[in-house]
Amino acid sequence: MDKEARIIDDLMEKMIKKAMELGEKLPSENQLATAYRVPRITARKALMVLEERGYIYSVHGKGRFLKEAPIPIQLHLTGKVSFTDKMRQAGYNLTTKNAFCKKIDYEEKIFKILKATNRNTVYQIGRLRLIDDEPIAIHQSFVNELKFPQIAEDGPKIKSMFSYYRELGYTQFTSNQTLLSITFPTFSEQQLLSCSSMVPLIIVESDCLDVETGDVLEYTKILYRSDKFKYDITMQ
């Protein structure tokens, strides 16, 4: 193991074992360089990796500090209740911003779920979710224009897809399946979520169906930040 990796592992072990208090100042680059008998640049690189991963933060002129505890979030994996309703019922201070509404190129997986052909137009509506003004997630809904002819006009104003569907007469929702995976943010996702490229994102993919007809209303892909929040995953 090289010296940089050893510094990272040692500091991570202290964090995991809670040998460091939240908000505690970390050893300086010079202190680490002396303790591990390495050049200062090696210690700096180790600290930069931990900062990119979201474990620590730096304050100009004061040093680097261990981040505060993540906010616990209950993440219910169903399509029966809107994310907005779930968060508000749980007492979170949630706000939503419409981030984008755009046509997408043909993608077999998404078009197949939406029962769309390559001659149809599918729109991607993105909403940025914030709790206490901290970005938590990007919600992306993919809908078939054939199913929702006004989506190009309505999409840029939508903050809750379930509210939009209710306005169109749909009342009950469900989903067939939910898939979880991990990714790292693209540059545009880093900007929206105010995170670095090294912060893992939790991906939750599902569909949304109208209970009465069984029609597929949308394909959903949600990107959750993993560094500031701790998720209690349930199937309620």
Side-chain angles (χ1 to χ4, degrees):
M1 179 185 296
D2 63 36
K3 293 294 182 69
E4 180 184 327
R6 184 184 169 193
I7 295 172
I8 294 169
D9 286 355
D10 286 353
L11 291 174
M12 283 293 300
E13 186 175 2
K14 288 181 180 180
M15 294 176 197
I16 293 168
K17 292 182 176 179
K18 297 185 178 179
M20 299 175 65
E21 297 291 331
L22 298 174
E24 181 179 337
K25 185 177 180 180
L26 274 73
S28 68
E29 294 173 9
N30 285 334
Q31 289 172 325
L32 288 173
T34 299
Y36 288 89
R37 298 181 180 179
V38 296
R40 181 178 174 181
I41 187 64
T42 301
R44 180 182 301 169
K45 286 180 179 178
L47 291 171
M48 288 175 64
V49 168
L50 291 173
E51 190 167 347
E52 287 175 349
R53 291 178 180 175
Y55 293 110
I56 66 176
Y57 65 95
S58 61
V59 178
H60 184 67
K62 294 185 177 181
R64 294 178 174 87
F65 300 83
L66 183 61
K67 280 196 173 179
E68 298 298 324
I71 302 170
I73 301 291
Q74 285 189 325
L75 184 57
H76 302 297
L77 302 183
T78 69
K80 297 179 181 179
V81 182
S82 74
F83 181 83
T84 300
D85 290 342
K86 292 172 188 174
M87 294 297 100
R88 287 178 177 167
Q89 288 169 11
Y92 298 115
N93 180 24
L94 175 76
T95 54
T96 298
K97 297 179 180 178
N98 190 296
F100 53 81
C101 174
K102 59 186 179 183
K103 296 179 184 179
I104 66 166
D105 295 330
Y106 179 77
E107 188 173 333
E108 184 177 2
K109 173 185 173 181
I110 296 175
F111 276 63
K112 185 176 181 181
I113 291 172
L114 296 176
K115 296 180 170 54
T117 70
N118 57 7
R119 293 188 297 274
N120 296 139
T121 301
V122 170
Y123 278 84
Q124 177 186 12
I125 299 98
R127 286 92 66 213
L128 181 64
R129 309 293 197 177
L130 304 97
I131 289 180
D132 295 331
D133 294 323
E134 289 276 4
I136 174 177
I138 303 171
H139 274 224
Q140 301 167 88
S141 297
F142 298 82
V143 298
N144 189 346
E145 187 181 40
L146 189 65
K147 182 76 175 174
F148 300 99
Q150 295 297 117
I151 195 63
E153 180 180 346
D154 297 339
K157 299 173 286 187
I158 295 174
K159 292 185 178 180
S160 168
M161 294 303 296
F162 276 26
S163 295
Y164 179 67
Y165 297 145
R166 290 189 184 104
E167 291 174 2
L168 298 177
Y170 300 99
T171 57
Q172 291 185 298
F173 313 99
T174 188
S175 58
N176 280 324
Q177 65 175 348
T178 300
L179 303 174
L180 271 73
S181 58
I182 300 292
T183 190
F184 289 93
T186 64
F187 180 70
S188 61
E189 290 162 356
Q190 292 172 49
Q191 291 182 308
L192 284 172
L193 292 171
S194 300
C195 66
S196 76
S197 61
M198 292 291 287
V199 173
L201 302 182
I202 301 171
I203 305 176
V204 178
E205 298 175 80
S206 63
D207 52 15
C208 177
L209 285 69
D210 171 43
V211 169
E212 184 177 348
T213 64
D215 291 347
V216 176
L217 303 179
E218 70 174 63
Y219 160 71
T220 307
K221 183 176 182 181
I222 311 170
L223 304 174
Y224 291 95
R225 282 185 63 167
S226 66
D227 60 330
K228 282 187 173 291
F229 303 92
K230 185 178 291 184
Y231 300 95
D232 175 12
I233 299 177
T234 67
M235 294 301 295
Q236 295 181 12

Short mmCIF file of all heavy atoms in Angstrom, two decimals, residues 129-178:
data_model
loop_
_atom_site.label_atom_id
_atom_site.label_comp_id
_atom_site.label_asym_id
_atom_site.label_seq_id
_atom_site.Cartn_x
_atom_site.Cartn_y
_atom_site.Cartn_z
N ARG A 129 -34.67 18.42 -6.13
CA ARG A 129 -35.27 18.36 -4.80
C ARG A 129 -34.26 18.87 -3.78
O ARG A 129 -33.09 18.50 -3.81
CB ARG A 129 -35.64 16.93 -4.44
CG ARG A 129 -36.45 16.19 -5.49
CD ARG A 129 -37.84 16.78 -5.65
NE ARG A 129 -38.72 15.84 -6.35
CZ ARG A 129 -40.00 16.04 -6.59
NH1 ARG A 129 -40.57 17.16 -6.20
NH2 ARG A 129 -40.72 15.14 -7.24
N LEU A 130 -34.74 19.73 -2.87
CA LEU A 130 -33.88 20.28 -1.83
C LEU A 130 -34.54 20.11 -0.47
O LEU A 130 -35.77 20.29 -0.34
CB LEU A 130 -33.58 21.76 -2.07
CG LEU A 130 -32.96 22.14 -3.41
CD1 LEU A 130 -34.05 22.60 -4.38
CD2 LEU A 130 -31.94 23.24 -3.25
N ILE A 131 -33.75 19.77 0.53
CA ILE A 131 -34.23 19.72 1.91
C ILE A 131 -33.39 20.71 2.71
O ILE A 131 -32.16 20.63 2.69
CB ILE A 131 -34.14 18.30 2.49
CG1 ILE A 131 -35.21 17.40 1.83
CG2 ILE A 131 -34.33 18.32 4.01
CD1 ILE A 131 -35.22 15.98 2.32
N ASP A 132 -34.08 21.64 3.37
CA ASP A 132 -33.39 22.72 4.08
C ASP A 132 -32.40 23.44 3.15
O ASP A 132 -31.28 23.78 3.55
CB ASP A 132 -32.66 22.18 5.32
CG ASP A 132 -33.63 21.64 6.37
OD1 ASP A 132 -34.76 22.13 6.42
OD2 ASP A 132 -33.24 20.73 7.11
N ASP A 133 -32.83 23.62 1.92
CA ASP A 133 -32.06 24.31 0.87
C ASP A 133 -30.80 23.56 0.44
O ASP A 133 -29.96 24.11 -0.29
CB ASP A 133 -31.67 25.73 1.33
CG ASP A 133 -32.90 26.62 1.49
OD1 ASP A 133 -33.84 26.49 0.69
OD2 ASP A 133 -32.91 27.45 2.42
N GLU A 134 -30.65 22.29 0.85
CA GLU A 134 -29.53 21.46 0.42
C GLU A 134 -30.02 20.54 -0.69
O GLU A 134 -31.02 19.83 -0.52
CB GLU A 134 -29.00 20.62 1.57
CG GLU A 134 -28.26 21.41 2.63
CD GLU A 134 -26.81 21.65 2.25
OE1 GLU A 134 -26.40 21.25 1.14
OE2 GLU A 134 -26.08 22.23 3.07
N PRO A 135 -29.36 20.50 -1.85
CA PRO A 135 -29.79 19.60 -2.92
C PRO A 135 -29.70 18.14 -2.47
O PRO A 135 -28.68 17.71 -1.94
CB PRO A 135 -28.79 19.87 -4.05
CG PRO A 135 -28.19 21.20 -3.74
CD PRO A 135 -28.17 21.30 -2.25
N ILE A 136 -30.79 17.40 -2.66
CA ILE A 136 -30.81 16.00 -2.25
C ILE A 136 -30.91 15.07 -3.45
O ILE A 136 -30.32 13.98 -3.45
CB ILE A 136 -31.98 15.73 -1.27
CG1 ILE A 136 -32.10 14.23 -0.96
CG2 ILE A 136 -33.30 16.25 -1.79
CD1 ILE A 136 -33.16 13.89 0.04
N ALA A 137 -31.64 15.49 -4.49
CA ALA A 137 -31.89 14.55 -5.59
C ALA A 137 -32.31 15.28 -6.85
O ALA A 137 -32.81 16.40 -6.81
CB ALA A 137 -32.98 13.55 -5.18
N ILE A 138 -32.11 14.58 -7.98
CA ILE A 138 -32.65 15.01 -9.26
C ILE A 138 -33.67 13.96 -9.68
O ILE A 138 -33.33 12.79 -9.85
CB ILE A 138 -31.56 15.11 -10.35
CG1 ILE A 138 -30.46 16.07 -9.92
CG2 ILE A 138 -32.18 15.56 -11.67
CD1 ILE A 138 -29.25 16.06 -10.85
N HIS A 139 -34.92 14.36 -9.80
CA HIS A 139 -35.98 13.48 -10.25
C HIS A 139 -36.19 13.67 -11.74
O HIS A 139 -36.44 14.79 -12.20
CB HIS A 139 -37.29 13.79 -9.52
CG HIS A 139 -37.41 13.09 -8.21
ND1 HIS A 139 -38.57 12.47 -7.80
CD2 HIS A 139 -36.52 12.89 -7.23
CE1 HIS A 139 -38.38 11.94 -6.61
NE2 HIS A 139 -37.14 12.19 -6.24
N GLN A 140 -36.08 12.60 -12.50
CA GLN A 140 -36.26 12.67 -13.94
C GLN A 140 -37.44 11.78 -14.35
O GLN A 140 -37.44 10.58 -14.06
CB GLN A 140 -34.99 12.20 -14.65
CG GLN A 140 -33.77 13.01 -14.28
CD GLN A 140 -32.49 12.35 -14.73
OE1 GLN A 140 -32.03 12.54 -15.84
NE2 GLN A 140 -31.90 11.54 -13.86
N SER A 141 -38.42 12.38 -14.98
CA SER A 141 -39.58 11.65 -15.48
C SER A 141 -39.56 11.66 -17.00
O SER A 141 -39.41 12.72 -17.61
CB SER A 141 -40.88 12.29 -14.98
OG SER A 141 -40.97 12.22 -13.57
N PHE A 142 -39.70 10.48 -17.58
CA PHE A 142 -39.72 10.35 -19.04
C PHE A 142 -41.14 9.99 -19.45
O PHE A 142 -41.71 9.00 -18.98
CB PHE A 142 -38.75 9.25 -19.48
CG PHE A 142 -37.31 9.53 -19.13
CD1 PHE A 142 -36.83 9.26 -17.86
CD2 PHE A 142 -36.45 10.07 -20.07
CE1 PHE A 142 -35.50 9.52 -17.52
CE2 PHE A 142 -35.11 10.33 -19.75
CZ PHE A 142 -34.65 10.05 -18.47
N VAL A 143 -41.73 10.82 -20.31
CA VAL A 143 -43.12 10.62 -20.71
C VAL A 143 -43.26 10.67 -22.23
O VAL A 143 -42.50 11.38 -22.91
CB VAL A 143 -44.06 11.65 -20.05
CG1 VAL A 143 -44.03 11.53 -18.54
CG2 VAL A 143 -43.68 13.06 -20.46
N ASN A 144 -44.22 9.92 -22.72
CA ASN A 144 -44.49 9.84 -24.15
C ASN A 144 -45.43 10.97 -24.56
O ASN A 144 -46.52 11.11 -23.99
CB ASN A 144 -45.13 8.48 -24.46
CG ASN A 144 -45.25 8.21 -25.95
OD1 ASN A 144 -45.10 9.10 -26.77
ND2 ASN A 144 -45.53 6.96 -26.30
N GLU A 145 -45.01 11.79 -25.50
CA GLU A 145 -45.85 12.89 -25.96
C GLU A 145 -47.17 12.39 -26.52
O GLU A 145 -48.19 13.09 -26.45
CB GLU A 145 -45.11 13.71 -27.02
CG GLU A 145 -45.85 14.98 -27.43
CD GLU A 145 -45.11 15.76 -28.49
OE1 GLU A 145 -44.54 15.11 -29.40
OE2 GLU A 145 -45.09 17.00 -28.43
N LEU A 146 -47.19 11.17 -27.06
CA LEU A 146 -48.42 10.60 -27.59
C LEU A 146 -49.46 10.43 -26.47
O LEU A 146 -50.66 10.60 -26.70
CB LEU A 146 -48.12 9.25 -28.24
CG LEU A 146 -49.26 8.59 -29.03
CD1 LEU A 146 -49.62 9.44 -30.24
CD2 LEU A 146 -48.86 7.19 -29.48
N LYS A 147 -48.97 10.13 -25.26
CA LYS A 147 -49.85 9.96 -24.10
C LYS A 147 -50.23 11.31 -23.50
O LYS A 147 -51.36 11.49 -23.02
CB LYS A 147 -49.12 9.10 -23.05
CG LYS A 147 -49.93 8.79 -21.80
CD LYS A 147 -50.95 7.72 -22.08
CE LYS A 147 -51.69 7.31 -20.82
NZ LYS A 147 -52.78 6.37 -21.11
N PHE A 148 -49.29 12.27 -23.53
CA PHE A 148 -49.53 13.59 -22.95
C PHE A 148 -49.17 14.66 -23.99
O PHE A 148 -48.05 15.19 -24.00
CB PHE A 148 -48.69 13.77 -21.68
CG PHE A 148 -49.00 12.76 -20.61
CD1 PHE A 148 -48.18 11.65 -20.43
CD2 PHE A 148 -50.11 12.90 -19.80
CE1 PHE A 148 -48.46 10.71 -19.46
CE2 PHE A 148 -50.41 11.96 -18.82
CZ PHE A 148 -49.58 10.86 -18.65
N PRO A 149 -50.11 14.98 -24.87
CA PRO A 149 -49.82 15.89 -26.00
C PRO A 149 -49.36 17.29 -25.61
O PRO A 149 -48.71 17.97 -26.40
CB PRO A 149 -51.17 15.95 -26.74
CG PRO A 149 -51.89 14.69 -26.34
CD PRO A 149 -51.48 14.44 -24.93
N GLN A 150 -49.68 17.73 -24.37
CA GLN A 150 -49.32 19.08 -23.94
C GLN A 150 -48.01 19.12 -23.15
O GLN A 150 -47.66 20.16 -22.58
CB GLN A 150 -50.44 19.66 -23.07
CG GLN A 150 -51.77 19.89 -23.81
CD GLN A 150 -51.60 20.91 -24.92
OE1 GLN A 150 -51.78 20.59 -26.10
NE2 GLN A 150 -51.26 22.14 -24.55
N ILE A 151 -47.29 18.00 -23.10
CA ILE A 151 -46.13 17.92 -22.21
C ILE A 151 -45.03 18.91 -22.58
O ILE A 151 -44.33 19.43 -21.70
CB ILE A 151 -45.58 16.48 -22.16
CG1 ILE A 151 -44.64 16.31 -20.96
CG2 ILE A 151 -44.90 16.10 -23.46
CD1 ILE A 151 -45.29 16.51 -19.62
N ALA A 152 -44.87 19.22 -23.86
CA ALA A 152 -43.83 20.18 -24.26
C ALA A 152 -44.09 21.55 -23.66
O ALA A 152 -43.16 22.26 -23.24
CB ALA A 152 -43.75 20.28 -25.78
N GLU A 153 -45.36 21.94 -23.60
CA GLU A 153 -45.74 23.23 -23.03
C GLU A 153 -45.82 23.18 -21.51
O GLU A 153 -45.39 24.11 -20.82
CB GLU A 153 -47.10 23.66 -23.60
CG GLU A 153 -47.60 24.99 -23.08
CD GLU A 153 -48.96 25.38 -23.66
OE1 GLU A 153 -49.38 24.75 -24.65
OE2 GLU A 153 -49.57 26.30 -23.11
N ASP A 154 -46.35 22.08 -20.97
CA ASP A 154 -46.56 21.97 -19.53
C ASP A 154 -45.28 21.59 -18.77
O ASP A 154 -45.10 21.98 -17.62
CB ASP A 154 -47.64 20.92 -19.22
CG ASP A 154 -49.00 21.31 -19.79
OD1 ASP A 154 -49.22 22.51 -20.05
OD2 ASP A 154 -49.84 20.40 -19.96
N GLY A 155 -44.41 20.83 -19.42
CA GLY A 155 -43.24 20.26 -18.75
C GLY A 155 -42.37 21.24 -17.98
O GLY A 155 -42.01 20.96 -16.83
N PRO A 156 -42.03 22.40 -18.55
CA PRO A 156 -41.16 23.34 -17.85
C PRO A 156 -41.76 23.93 -16.57
O PRO A 156 -41.05 24.57 -15.78
CB PRO A 156 -40.92 24.45 -18.88
CG PRO A 156 -41.17 23.79 -20.20
CD PRO A 156 -42.27 22.81 -19.95
N LYS A 157 -43.07 23.73 -16.37
CA LYS A 157 -43.73 24.28 -15.18
C LYS A 157 -44.02 23.22 -14.13
O LYS A 157 -44.44 23.56 -13.01
CB LYS A 157 -45.04 24.96 -15.60
CG LYS A 157 -44.87 26.12 -16.57
CD LYS A 157 -46.19 26.65 -17.07
CE LYS A 157 -46.83 25.70 -18.08
NZ LYS A 157 -48.04 26.25 -18.73
N ILE A 158 -43.79 21.96 -14.44
CA ILE A 158 -44.16 20.87 -13.53
C ILE A 158 -43.15 20.73 -12.39
O ILE A 158 -41.96 20.64 -12.62
CB ILE A 158 -44.26 19.53 -14.29
CG1 ILE A 158 -45.41 19.58 -15.31
CG2 ILE A 158 -44.48 18.38 -13.31
CD1 ILE A 158 -45.48 18.35 -16.19
N LYS A 159 -43.66 20.70 -11.17
CA LYS A 159 -42.83 20.40 -10.00
C LYS A 159 -43.19 19.05 -9.40
O LYS A 159 -42.35 18.41 -8.76
CB LYS A 159 -42.99 21.51 -8.95
CG LYS A 159 -42.40 22.85 -9.39
CD LYS A 159 -42.47 23.87 -8.27
CE LYS A 159 -41.83 25.19 -8.70
NZ LYS A 159 -41.89 26.20 -7.60
N SER A 160 -44.44 18.62 -9.57
CA SER A 160 -44.88 17.31 -9.10
C SER A 160 -45.61 16.62 -10.23
O SER A 160 -46.66 17.10 -10.69
CB SER A 160 -45.80 17.45 -7.89
OG SER A 160 -46.45 16.22 -7.60
N MET A 161 -45.08 15.48 -10.69
CA MET A 161 -45.73 14.75 -11.78
C MET A 161 -47.08 14.19 -11.32
O MET A 161 -48.04 14.17 -12.08
CB MET A 161 -44.83 13.62 -12.27
CG MET A 161 -43.55 14.09 -12.95
SD MET A 161 -43.80 15.19 -14.38
CE MET A 161 -44.65 14.08 -15.52
N PHE A 162 -47.16 13.72 -10.07
CA PHE A 162 -48.43 13.17 -9.58
C PHE A 162 -49.52 14.24 -9.57
O PHE A 162 -50.66 13.96 -9.92
CB PHE A 162 -48.24 12.59 -8.17
CG PHE A 162 -47.70 11.18 -8.16
CD1 PHE A 162 -46.92 10.71 -9.21
CD2 PHE A 162 -47.96 10.33 -7.11
CE1 PHE A 162 -46.42 9.42 -9.21
CE2 PHE A 162 -47.46 9.03 -7.09
CZ PHE A 162 -46.69 8.57 -8.14
N SER A 163 -49.17 15.45 -9.18
CA SER A 163 -50.16 16.54 -9.21
C SER A 163 -50.61 16.82 -10.64
O SER A 163 -51.79 17.06 -10.91
CB SER A 163 -49.56 17.82 -8.60
OG SER A 163 -49.28 17.63 -7.24
N TYR A 164 -49.66 16.75 -11.56
CA TYR A 164 -49.97 16.96 -12.98
C TYR A 164 -50.92 15.87 -13.48
O TYR A 164 -51.92 16.17 -14.15
CB TYR A 164 -48.68 16.95 -13.79
CG TYR A 164 -48.86 17.13 -15.28
CD1 TYR A 164 -49.33 18.34 -15.80
CD2 TYR A 164 -48.54 16.10 -16.17
CE1 TYR A 164 -49.49 18.51 -17.17
CE2 TYR A 164 -48.70 16.28 -17.54
CZ TYR A 164 -49.17 17.48 -18.04
OH TYR A 164 -49.33 17.65 -19.40
N TYR A 165 -50.64 14.63 -13.12
CA TYR A 165 -51.50 13.53 -13.55
C TYR A 165 -52.90 13.65 -12.95
O TYR A 165 -53.90 13.36 -13.62
CB TYR A 165 -50.89 12.18 -13.15
CG TYR A 165 -49.56 11.89 -13.81
CD1 TYR A 165 -48.55 11.19 -13.12
CD2 TYR A 165 -49.28 12.31 -15.10
CE1 TYR A 165 -47.33 10.93 -13.72
CE2 TYR A 165 -48.06 12.06 -15.70
CZ TYR A 165 -47.09 11.36 -15.00
OH TYR A 165 -45.87 11.09 -15.59
N ARG A 166 -52.98 14.09 -11.70
CA ARG A 166 -54.29 14.25 -11.06
C ARG A 166 -55.11 15.31 -11.79
O ARG A 166 -56.34 15.18 -11.91
CB ARG A 166 -54.12 14.62 -9.59
CG ARG A 166 -53.58 13.46 -8.73
CD ARG A 166 -53.64 13.79 -7.24
NE ARG A 166 -53.03 12.74 -6.46
CZ ARG A 166 -51.83 12.81 -5.90
NH1 ARG A 166 -51.11 13.93 -6.05
NH2 ARG A 166 -51.35 11.82 -5.21
N GLU A 167 -54.45 16.37 -12.24
CA GLU A 167 -55.16 17.40 -13.00
C GLU A 167 -55.75 16.84 -14.28
O GLU A 167 -56.74 17.37 -14.81
CB GLU A 167 -54.21 18.55 -13.34
CG GLU A 167 -53.77 19.38 -12.14
CD GLU A 167 -52.71 20.41 -12.50
OE1 GLU A 167 -52.36 20.50 -13.71
OE2 GLU A 167 -52.23 21.11 -11.60
N LEU A 168 -55.14 15.75 -14.78
CA LEU A 168 -55.62 15.13 -16.02
C LEU A 168 -56.59 13.97 -15.76
O LEU A 168 -56.97 13.27 -16.69
CB LEU A 168 -54.42 14.63 -16.83
CG LEU A 168 -53.44 15.72 -17.29
CD1 LEU A 168 -52.26 15.10 -18.02
CD2 LEU A 168 -54.15 16.74 -18.19
N GLY A 169 -56.95 13.76 -14.48
CA GLY A 169 -57.98 12.76 -14.16
C GLY A 169 -57.47 11.45 -13.60
O GLY A 169 -58.27 10.57 -13.26
N TYR A 170 -56.16 11.29 -13.48
CA TYR A 170 -55.61 10.07 -12.88
C TYR A 170 -55.59 10.24 -11.36
O TYR A 170 -55.22 11.30 -10.85
CB TYR A 170 -54.20 9.80 -13.38
CG TYR A 170 -54.12 9.62 -14.88
CD1 TYR A 170 -53.72 10.67 -15.71
CD2 TYR A 170 -54.45 8.40 -15.48
CE1 TYR A 170 -53.65 10.51 -17.09
CE2 TYR A 170 -54.39 8.23 -16.86
CZ TYR A 170 -53.99 9.29 -17.66
OH TYR A 170 -53.92 9.14 -19.02
N THR A 171 -55.98 9.20 -10.63
CA THR A 171 -56.11 9.35 -9.17
C THR A 171 -55.25 8.39 -8.36
O THR A 171 -54.82 8.72 -7.26
CB THR A 171 -57.58 9.16 -8.75
OG1 THR A 171 -58.04 7.87 -9.19
CG2 THR A 171 -58.47 10.25 -9.35
N GLN A 172 -55.01 7.18 -8.88
CA GLN A 172 -54.25 6.20 -8.12
C GLN A 172 -53.08 5.68 -8.95
O GLN A 172 -53.24 5.44 -10.16
CB GLN A 172 -55.13 5.03 -7.68
CG GLN A 172 -56.16 5.41 -6.61
CD GLN A 172 -56.93 4.19 -6.13
OE1 GLN A 172 -57.63 3.54 -6.91
NE2 GLN A 172 -56.80 3.88 -4.86
N PHE A 173 -51.96 5.47 -8.29
CA PHE A 173 -50.74 5.10 -9.00
C PHE A 173 -50.07 3.89 -8.36
O PHE A 173 -50.21 3.64 -7.17
CB PHE A 173 -49.76 6.28 -9.01
CG PHE A 173 -50.40 7.59 -9.39
CD1 PHE A 173 -50.80 8.51 -8.42
CD2 PHE A 173 -50.65 7.89 -10.72
CE1 PHE A 173 -51.40 9.70 -8.77
CE2 PHE A 173 -51.24 9.09 -11.09
CZ PHE A 173 -51.63 9.99 -10.10
N THR A 174 -49.34 3.16 -9.19
CA THR A 174 -48.57 2.02 -8.70
C THR A 174 -47.35 1.85 -9.60
O THR A 174 -47.16 2.61 -10.55
CB THR A 174 -49.42 0.73 -8.67
OG1 THR A 174 -48.68 -0.30 -8.02
CG2 THR A 174 -49.78 0.27 -10.09
N SER A 175 -46.52 0.85 -9.30
CA SER A 175 -45.34 0.58 -10.13
C SER A 175 -45.12 -0.93 -10.20
O SER A 175 -45.53 -1.68 -9.31
CB SER A 175 -44.11 1.27 -9.57
OG SER A 175 -43.85 0.85 -8.24
N ASN A 176 -44.48 -1.37 -11.27
CA ASN A 176 -44.21 -2.79 -11.46
C ASN A 176 -42.97 -3.23 -10.71
O ASN A 176 -42.94 -4.29 -10.09
CB ASN A 176 -44.04 -3.11 -12.95
CG ASN A 176 -45.36 -3.24 -13.67
OD1 ASN A 176 -46.33 -3.73 -13.09
ND2 ASN A 176 -45.42 -2.79 -14.91
N GLN A 177 -41.91 -2.45 -10.81
CA GLN A 177 -40.66 -2.82 -10.16
C GLN A 177 -39.82 -1.59 -9.89
O GLN A 177 -40.02 -0.53 -10.48
CB GLN A 177 -39.86 -3.79 -11.03
CG GLN A 177 -39.39 -3.19 -12.36
CD GLN A 177 -38.51 -4.14 -13.14
OE1 GLN A 177 -38.05 -5.15 -12.63
NE2 GLN A 177 -38.24 -3.81 -14.39
N THR A 178 -38.87 -1.74 -8.95
CA THR A 178 -37.94 -0.67 -8.61
C THR A 178 -36.53 -1.24 -8.60
O THR A 178 -36.29 -2.29 -8.00
CB THR A 178 -38.27 -0.07 -7.23
OG1 THR A 178 -39.60 0.47 -7.25
CG2 THR A 178 -37.29 1.04 -6.88
#
